[in-house]
Structure formats: structure tokens, C-alpha cells
Amino acid sequence: MALRLKLVPDTTTINFFRWQWLTFGSSIALMIASLVIVAVMGLNFGIDFRGGTTIRTESTQEVDVGTYRSALQPLGIGDIIITEVFDPGFRADQHVASIRIEAQENAEAATPETVARVQDALREIDPSITFPSVESVGPKVSGELVRSAVIALVLAALGIGIYIWFRFEWQFALGTVVASVHDVLVTVGILALFQIRFDLTTVAALLTILGYSVNDTVVVFDRLRENLRKYKTMPLRDVMNLSVNETLSRTIMTVVTTLIALFALLIFGGDVLRGFVSTIIFGVILGTYSSIYMAKNLVLWIGVNREPKANPKAGTKFADIDA
């Protein structure tokens, strides 16, 4: 007999609207608090957004990122990102790494003295190491990256809204976009509160959060559309409760399995992945919450036109749209 793991019973009758004003009010409060935290504390921008210096290294010895980091940590030069560079054209004994150092205080990039200290520290652990190039990223380029990141997030949210609008109705699109903005904004507030490094990988994590949140919300809305056809006289609030209960098992299983993988990355992925994974973990939890408690509440308050079309086969205005 096969063993089935059940985190949620097959049939649930939870009233998700019981505390709707508390849950929705808490979400609004968290969004406002996030804006205040970002404005007061600011984000802990990484090298991508703050500017800095990139040092390229070459050696006949294999690159050990952990050893490199241990050698540079005592220098106290701030944020350091170390990545090994791979290329099919490299020789068998050619091992290349890229070391990125944040801009020092009152300077656009690392000073020559700082670069020399880094090079000396690496020579102590690897006498064969050489430094083919040293490049700096100034504040102008960093500012352009900040603007590009904001534009990417805004366009992604708009694209999602348009997609939901065509697939469902504008009420569903509005609920989805507001829930997605809630997830991203509160996540950014958490990053600012704990001063977790914010760089281009964090932007990628925020875009991933948008996709995850929408996926969760669409599953609920898809079941809601089916139930609107099936229960034509049932009050909209009850249809929504039914839809969330029917998809609850899938929602819980999805978030649990996703978090298992993410926590494995958080524990074993090292410092390079820590900010990226932490951001996604916050977003996945918030995305699950907003799909259940926020998106559908907005749709309920806006209302949905459930009058059938002239076509007698159409149960509701959603009947002609494929799932």
C-alpha cells in the first residue's frame, strides 16, 4: 500500500474571510512600513549599484573561493564578491577568478593602495597568481543599473497585469498586480530592515517572486472561474472561499517543497547565494499569503459581473475563456 503524505485534508471548510479586515489591514500596514523603512534606513546596495573595482586574477593553481575570501576578509575593505571564471579556451593550467571590491568611502572606486593590499594578500596564499586587469565601475554606471532594475520590475508587473486582464477580467488583473506589488515591496522592506545586500542577483530574485506570486494567484483564480460557472447562484464570497479551500492542498504542498529546496541552498550555497536565496524565501512566504488573503479580497470588493451572455451555453462571462 502506497504511503501518501497529506499536509492538508482533502476537504477543508476554512472561512478565509473571517478576519478579512485584519489580514488586509495588516498587508497595507506592512506596505507602508516597508516604504518608511526603505526611506529611513536605505538599502544595503552591493557593488553593482554602489560602484567599485573588479580585479581579474590568473593562476596555475585551482581557484579556491573560500581561501581567497579568508585571505581578504581581515583587510576590512567592505563588500567582496569572488567568482571563478570558466572558458573553453583556457589552458588546462589556466585558472581565472574575478574579485569585485565595493567603492571605498569618499571614492568612486578602490584606491591603488587598497588594490595593492588585495594583491599582496592573494600572493601570500598563491605566489603564482597574476593580475591581468583592474577595472572600476563608477557611480554613473551604478545609477543606470538602479534605473534599469526599477524599470524591469515595473514592466514585469504591468506585463503580468495585462496577461491576467486578457486571461480573466480586469478585476482579477488588479487584484493580481496589487498582491504582487505587496510581495515585492514588503520583501524589499525586509531587506532594508536587516540590511541584506541588494545587488543584481536580488533584482533577479524579486522578478522570480513576481512569477511565483502570480502562479499561485492564477491557480486560485482559475478554480474560481470554474466554480463561477458551476455555482451560478452561490454568493461570490462563498464561491471564493470554496475555491481557495479546493486549491489549499496544492498551495501548501507547493510552498513547502519550494522552501525545502530554498533552505538547502541557504544552508549549503555559501555566502554568494545567501542574499539571493533569502530574498526568494521571504517572497515565497509572502506570495502564498497574498494569494490566499489579498488578491481575492480585492476582487470581492470590486465585484464581478456574473450575468450570462446571450449564448445559452455560456454559464458566466468567463465561459468562453480557456483554462
Side-chain angles (χ1 to χ4, degrees):
M1 182 177 179
L3 178 65
R4 281 187 66 192
L5 174 64
K6 286 187 179 181
L7 299 180
V8 178
D10 292 332
T11 303
T12 58
T13 56
I14 301 171
N15 182 6
F16 290 100
F17 288 100
R18 183 177 182 181
W19 308 105
Q20 61 177 332
W21 293 110
L22 176 62
T23 55
F24 192 77
S26 300
S27 298
I28 298 299
L30 284 174
M31 292 174 71
I32 296 173
S34 297
L35 288 172
V36 173
I37 291 171
V38 172
V40 174
M41 299 183 64
L43 292 168
N44 180 20
F45 286 118
I47 295 172
D48 298 320
F49 298 126
R50 194 160 47 193
T53 298
T54 300
I55 302 175
R56 185 181 175 91
T57 70
E58 285 192 19
S59 175
T60 56
Q61 298 183 20
E62 291 188 3
V63 174
D64 188 329
V65 174
T67 302
Y68 280 23
R69 189 179 302 280
S70 298
L72 299 179
Q73 206 69 42
L75 300 181
I77 54 178
D79 192 15
I80 301 173
I81 299 176
I82 305 172
T83 54
E84 187 172 1
V85 180
F86 298 95
D87 192 305
F90 288 166
R91 303 184 309 273
D93 63 345
Q94 185 180 12
H95 304 284
V96 180
S98 174
I99 301 175
R100 306 172 73 183
I101 308 169
E102 71 175 356
Q104 305 302 294
E105 189 174 354
N106 299 323
E108 294 186 0
T111 62
E113 292 78 11
T114 301
V115 173
R117 291 171 61 201
V118 170
Q119 293 174 343
D120 291 340
L122 293 175
R123 287 193 185 99
E124 289 183 8
I125 61 173
D126 184 1
S128 67
I129 197 168
T130 59
F131 307 94
S133 66
V134 178
E135 300 175 349
S136 296
V137 177
K140 182 178 180 181
V141 174
S142 301
E144 292 175 355
L145 286 175
V146 172
R147 287 191 294 274
S148 298
V150 172
I151 291 172
L153 289 170
V154 171
L155 290 179
L158 288 176
I160 288 168
I162 293 171
Y163 164 75
I164 301 297
W165 187 357
F166 282 116
R167 184 172 175 83
F168 297 96
E169 291 291 332
W170 70 268
Q171 298 96 325
F172 292 80
L174 181 60
T176 301
V177 169
V178 171
S180 300
V181 170
H182 161 272
D183 301 339
V184 171
L185 185 56
V186 176
T187 300
V188 171
I190 294 173
L191 296 178
L193 179 63
F194 294 103
Q195 288 296 290
I196 298 173
R197 188 174 62 217
F198 191 97
D199 51 23
L200 285 178
T201 59
T202 308
V203 176
L206 293 176
L207 291 170
T208 304
I209 291 169
L210 280 175
Y212 182 91
S213 177
V214 169
N215 177 67
D216 245 10
T217 305
V218 165
V219 169
V220 176
F221 282 171
D222 209 41
R223 182 58 60 89
L224 172 60
R225 182 175 57 182
E226 293 176 4
N227 286 334
L228 284 171
R229 303 173 188 171
K230 189 184 300 183
Y231 305 102
K232 301 180 180 66
T233 59
M234 182 183 292
L236 180 59
R237 175 178 174 143
D238 294 340
V239 178
M240 287 184 169
N241 250 334
L242 176 64
S243 302
V244 177
N245 276 288
E246 288 180 346
T247 57
L248 186 61
S249 176
R250 179 264 178 203
T251 300
I252 298 300
M253 287 298 295
T254 300
V255 70
V256 169
T257 52
T258 302
L259 288 176
I260 289 173
L262 289 173
F263 276 109
L265 280 174
L266 183 67
I267 296 170
F268 301 108
D271 182 67
V272 175
L273 290 177
R274 190 159 292 120
F276 174 79
V277 176
S278 299
T279 303
I280 296 184
I281 288 174
F282 298 142
V284 165
I285 295 172
L286 289 167
T288 303
Y289 167 84
S290 66
S291 298
I292 295 175
Y293 284 105
M294 196 168 188
K296 64 179 180 52
N297 285 19
L298 284 170
V299 176
L300 175 65
W301 293 333
I302 296 170
V304 176
N305 182 11
R306 301 175 64 183
E307 293 181 5
K309 294 181 178 180
N311 181 1
K313 295 182 180 180
T316 72
K317 68 183 296 183
F318 309 104
D320 294 332
I321 306 176
D322 292 333

